Amino acid sequence: MFKFGKASKARLETCHPDLQRVMRRALETSPMDFTIVCGHRAKDEQEKAFAEGKSKVRYPRSRHNSYPSEAVDIAPYVGGKLVWDDEATWRQLVDHIQTTAYDLGVYLRWGGDWDGDGLTRTDGDLDERFVDYPHFELLEG
């Protein structure tokens, strides 16, 4: 069983209680370790993410900007290293997170499939103009 470190716990505490529940439960049953990269983003953090191309929106339009945050960014750990570009690893983790959320009655949108059609850019799906694998957000309504 994996456990969140101090930094991940602190970042997760800035998130909506439903996101906290999903991520904690997902880690307990996860096939791999993962970390919480980002929860709430203040104005300066959001503007920096926008300037670096890590976000397509400026403050306060990101779901990370609400408090508690309605979005969370994660990243898998494999072999003691963060994994950013292994699609198979991401798909396995994303499937696990989405299944966990569904089982808990929480509905999420993933940044690798914004429209929820089950396809990502690597599947030839051209509607995903901005792919953000680490990002999960609560669905509205």
Side-chain angles (χ1 to χ4, degrees):
M1 185 168 106
F2 302 109
K3 295 185 184 224
F4 286 128
K6 188 176 181 179
S8 286
K9 286 179 183 178
R11 293 175 188 129
L12 189 58
E13 286 294 320
T14 70
C15 294
H16 187 282
D18 286 343
L19 286 173
Q20 291 183 38
R21 249 181 346 122
V22 169
M23 294 302 151
R24 286 182 182 129
R25 179 68 181 140
L27 190 64
E28 289 174 1
T29 60
S30 183
M32 70 188 72
D33 198 4
F34 66 93
T35 187
I36 305 297
V37 175
C38 181
H40 172 74
R41 277 192 206 132
K43 183 177 181 177
D44 58 335
E45 294 168 304
Q46 183 62 38
E47 291 300 314
K48 181 180 178 189
F50 178 79
E52 293 174 351
K54 295 178 183 175
S55 177
K56 288 293 185 187
V57 297
R58 300 187 81 141
Y59 183 87
R61 294 185 46 225
S62 171
R63 301 290 297 278
H64 285 282
N65 301 148
S66 62
Y67 195 87
S69 179
E70 296 175 358
V72 64
D73 290 350
I74 68 169
Y77 266 112
V78 177
K81 295 181 180 181
L82 284 174
V83 175
W84 296 106
D85 58 1
D86 181 357
E87 185 179 343
T89 298
W90 274 105
R91 284 186 184 261
Q92 184 180 15
L93 182 57
V94 167
D95 287 348
H96 178 69
I97 299 283
Q98 289 176 326
T99 298
T100 301
Y102 182 82
D103 289 347
L104 293 173
V106 177
Y107 300 95
L108 301 178
R109 177 177 18 233
W110 171 52
D113 181 20
W114 294 103
D115 60 5
D117 66 1
L119 301 173
T120 62
R121 185 177 279 175
T122 57
D123 297 317
D125 184 23
L126 300 178
D127 64 338
E128 307 301 343
R129 287 174 266 162
F130 178 65
V131 177
D132 189 0
Y133 281 3
H135 184 88
F136 290 86
E137 65 183 34
L138 295 171
L139 276 176
E140 298 173 357

